[in-house]
Amino acid sequence: PCQDGLKICCIGAGYVGGPTMSVIALKCPEITVNIVDISEPRIAAWNSDNLPIYEPGLDKVVKACRGRNLFFTTQVDQCIKEADIIFVAVNTPTKKVGIGAGRAADLTYWELAARRIAQVAETPKIVVEKSTVPIKTAEAISAVLHGAGKTQFSVLSNPEFLAEGTAIEDLDAPDRVLIGSTLCEEGSKASQTLADVYAHWVPREKILQTNVWSSELSKLVANSFLAQRVSSINAVSAICEASGADVDEVARAVGMDTRIGPKFMKASVGFGGSCFQKDILNLVYLCESMGLPEVAHYFHQVVQMNDLQKERFVSRIIHGLFNTITGKKIALLGFAFKKDTGDTRESAAIEICRRFIEEKAQIAIYDPKVEEEQIWSDLTGACQMDKIEVQKYVTLCPDAITACDNAHAMAVVTEWDEFKDINYNKVFEKMIKPSFVFDGRNVLDHELLRKIGFIVYAIGKPL
Ligand code: NAD
Ligand code: UGA
């Protein structure tokens, strides 16, 4: 059973902090949950009707708890002081400069949060690593926390496994909850307190309690395995295109082996999202630092294969359009890194657009959820151009049909469900002939499109 009146504070109101804490508040009405962030606009958005992230089902959960036992605030110090458990869910991006630049995790935000906790806390706290961090981070964090020598801290690792677009479902019924702690009595007690919170709705047998290093490493390994599956099927898609096999048929045949399983085998334009690449590169860096260059090389291939897949898609389009796309109009359907999210971090669409701009093509983009300013910011960053320069090549459209008007080709980059229901007869009428479709997600009805008159290229499919 959980202590009555337990107080939780979560530092970082992002894609992880927001949804995870909202679900804890929903499932544990007797626990008070404060989510704090240094970003005032982000907190203001969490307190408004227009939440800062799009996630199916999230609105409902927030509305049910906000103002009851769930609060969003910038009062970081006060919430730290009052809390029994402090989750830290700040961003841990890839380092941009210095040792390990381009690979190692940048723990600046984590360290700042830990220093704040150390400075402000007056009573013992359980500090929980919710962010994805390199193995052995708990040790460094513990040193920072205890540096001030004021009070006792127990550091737990509790990585998050939710996927964007299905975050609420994933949190509601997780495959497992992982809690890592030190093996001393203090650590086990803290681990038990956190396990009791999750036990409000997660079956006990799904709550794994391990040592802290196993927990930290498991998160990096889980993401590396998932990304590896995507790179594996994408590598197979290249073989399919060269041989006449069909990647979906191969995935089905292979995935029916219960040892392999059918999930996460959809060939694509390449994986995106804020974590896969970041976490693999982090693992690669750790392996190198541990004197394991061959192991590092093995995992690095997953990222290299992903880069190749994006470039293969671009090359296919250029070759399909008679070896040049200069001045040609390409309708790009989807900009988010996957469906059901407005998140564009590391989206394949960004690199694909950068390459199109390099070839001086005209791009008309439509995405149902991504904010316009986000697209401009991603493209100016990727192309190292200002917005006016980017706008010479890119227009943003209110719907798919407008994007396809007078286009030479249409490319599906995100698998939004609504792209299946577009009136393709109408699209065909509006496009320049011959009209090309490049399905980067294998979600359209290729037979129907060919009947209408389109020339269709799909990932890992015979022509
Ligand atoms: P995010 O960028 O959406 O959110 C992080 C938030 O932390 C931001 O709002 C930022 O303003 C805030 N912040 C940074 N430093 C702070 C400080 N010192 N004090 C208070 N607030 C601070 O990031 P995210 O996507 O939620 O990811 C957070 C962590 O969770 C990362 O380590 C990531 O690898 C991991 N993770 C992410 C996902 C995902 O689906 N996005 C899933 C599992 C794990
Ligand atoms: C992923 C993991 O699935 C989560 O378990 C993890 O918590 C999270 O990373 C994280 O640490 O951030 P997420 O990136 O939100 O979640 O989304 P995924 O569904 O894993 O998709 C990642 C990328 O792979 C997307 O671009 C998706 O389109 C692509 N993908 C996925 C494929 O191309 N094919 C597939 O079969 C599956």
Side-chain angles (χ1 to χ4, degrees):
C2 223
Q3 263 168 262
D4 261 353
L6 197 74
K7 280 202 166 169
I8 288 178
C9 166
C10 174
I11 304 181
Y15 283 88
V16 167
T20 48
M21 294 302 125
S22 300
V23 169
I24 290 183
L26 182 77
K27 305 284 186 183
C28 314
E30 82 282 14
I31 298 179
T32 303
V33 182
N34 288 307
I35 310 184
V36 300
D37 203 291
I38 39 174
S39 162
E40 289 198 6
R42 210 157 209 194
I43 290 298
W46 279 111
N47 282 318
S48 75
D49 285 338
N50 196 9
L51 300 185
I53 62 178
Y54 170 70
E55 192 60 65
L58 177 63
D59 275 46
K60 216 172 127 201
V61 177
V62 170
K63 274 196 186 121
C65 313
R66 196 172 54 191
R68 181 190 78 183
N69 64 330
L70 175 68
F71 303 91
F72 296 91
T73 165
T74 49
Q75 305 280 310
V76 181
D77 291 0
Q78 191 192 329
C79 294
I80 291 175
K81 263 193 199 125
E82 289 172 1
D84 304 293
I85 304 178
I86 303 172
F87 286 86
V88 184
V90 299
N91 35 332
T92 51
T94 304
K95 261 183 107 171
K96 289 213 174 83
V97 292
I99 296 178
R103 280 178 302 168
D106 177 355
L107 294 176
T108 313
Y109 302 104
W110 229 113
E111 191 175 329
L112 281 173
R115 287 188 187 280
R116 197 81 223 140
I117 298 170
Q119 207 174 339
V120 173
E122 289 160 352
T123 51
K125 311 282 179 204
I126 296 174
V127 176
V128 186
E129 286 178 350
K130 198 48 153 167
S131 305
T132 303
V133 292
I135 183 168
K136 292 279 177 188
T137 299
E139 201 169 71
I141 294 304
S142 187
V144 169
L145 288 170
H146 288 110
K150 283 201 307 195
T151 180
Q152 182 56 41
F153 298 99
S154 303
V155 181
L156 299 177
S157 158
N158 172 223
E160 184 47 59
F161 295 100
L162 68 79
E164 287 176 33
T166 53
I168 300 300
E169 278 169 53
D170 296 342
L171 290 164
D172 188 53
D175 285 349
R176 77 314 211 172
V177 165
L178 181 57
I179 303 174
S181 67
T182 51
L183 296 174
C184 63
E185 201 191 321
E186 194 62 43
S188 307
K189 218 174 124 201
S191 170
Q192 206 46 49
T193 305
L194 187 57
D196 290 342
V197 171
Y198 284 108
H200 278 74
W201 78 100
V202 180
R204 285 275 177 189
E205 64 275 14
K206 290 197 171 181
I207 303 177
L208 304 184
Q209 290 169 272
T210 66
N211 89 37
V212 71
W213 320 131
S214 307
S215 172
E216 288 178 337
L217 181 59
S218 299
K219 174 63 196 177
L220 295 182
V221 171
N223 271 359
S224 300
F225 274 36
L226 288 168
Q228 190 180 44
R229 262 176 94 94
V230 178
S231 275
S232 293
I233 199 67
N234 283 342
V236 170
S237 78
I239 306 175
C240 289
E241 285 163 32
S243 65
D246 178 322
V247 73
D248 284 334
E249 289 180 355
V250 174
R252 183 148 186 263
V254 172
M256 277 174 80
D257 185 321
T258 50
R259 293 168 303 175
I260 297 172
K263 292 182 185 170
F264 240 75
M265 282 232 266
K266 192 82 190 138
S268 66
V269 280
F271 61 75
S274 63
C275 294
F276 276 0
Q277 176 168 314
K278 159 177 88 72
D279 293 349
I280 294 170
L281 292 176
N282 187 351
L283 188 64
V284 166
Y285 180 73
L286 286 167
C287 293
E288 281 170 355
S289 346
M290 290 169 183
L292 302 167
E294 295 85 358
V295 183
H297 178 72
Y298 175 73
F299 282 111
H300 199 213
Q301 281 295 315
V302 175
V303 174
Q304 286 176 334
M305 185 53 63
N306 198 48
D307 290 340
L308 175 74
Q309 189 71 355
K310 290 182 256 187
E311 185 52 32
R312 281 195 336 103
F313 189 63
V314 171
S315 301
R316 238 188 174 211
I317 294 177
I318 298 173
H319 291 141
L321 294 179
F322 317 112
N323 284 325
T324 180
I325 56 170
T326 306
K328 290 181 181 164
K329 180 173 169 184
I330 302 171
L332 197 90
L333 299 197
F335 199 81
F337 80 95
K338 63 186 280 196
K339 73 171 181 178
D340 294 338
T341 178
D343 195 352
T344 63
R345 290 178 291 179
E346 302 296 334
S347 177
I350 301 172
E351 173 59 13
I352 291 167
C353 286
R354 190 193 67 77
R355 288 284 291 110
F356 285 170
I357 291 172
E358 211 169 65
E359 301 283 334
K360 300 200 182 315
Q362 292 292 316
I363 317 166
I365 302 174
Y366 166 65
D367 186 285
K369 281 288 171 218
V370 176
E371 305 274 345
E372 293 202 349
E373 273 319 307
Q374 188 59 50
I375 299 182
W376 295 129
S377 145
D378 288 336
L379 295 183
T380 50
C383 302
Q384 308 261 303
M385 285 176 177
D386 62 24
K387 186 167 162 184
I388 294 171
E389 190 68 15
V390 171
Q391 283 175 332
K392 287 184 189 155
Y393 301 100
V394 179
T395 46
L396 307 186
C397 302
D399 55 64
I401 298 215
T402 312
C404 292
D405 197 12
N406 258 317
H408 295 76
M410 186 193 97
V412 175
V413 175
T414 314
E415 73 282 22
W416 286 102
D417 288 336
E418 65 172 68
F419 296 160
K420 294 180 197 161
D421 302 326
I422 295 171
N423 181 342
Y424 283 102
N425 282 304
K426 210 163 151 193
V427 169
F428 187 69
E429 271 168 33
K430 289 185 150 238
M431 282 176 63
I432 288 174
K433 308 294 173 308
S435 311
F436 291 84
V437 169
F438 296 90
D439 186 354
R441 294 287 187 166
N442 292 347
V443 284
L444 305 183
D445 182 342
H446 302 149
E447 215 177 290
L448 175 79
L449 292 174
R450 288 192 178 111
K451 261 193 209 138
I452 294 174
F454 287 101
I455 298 169
V456 181
Y457 287 81
I459 304 278
K461 300 266 180 182
L463 270 187

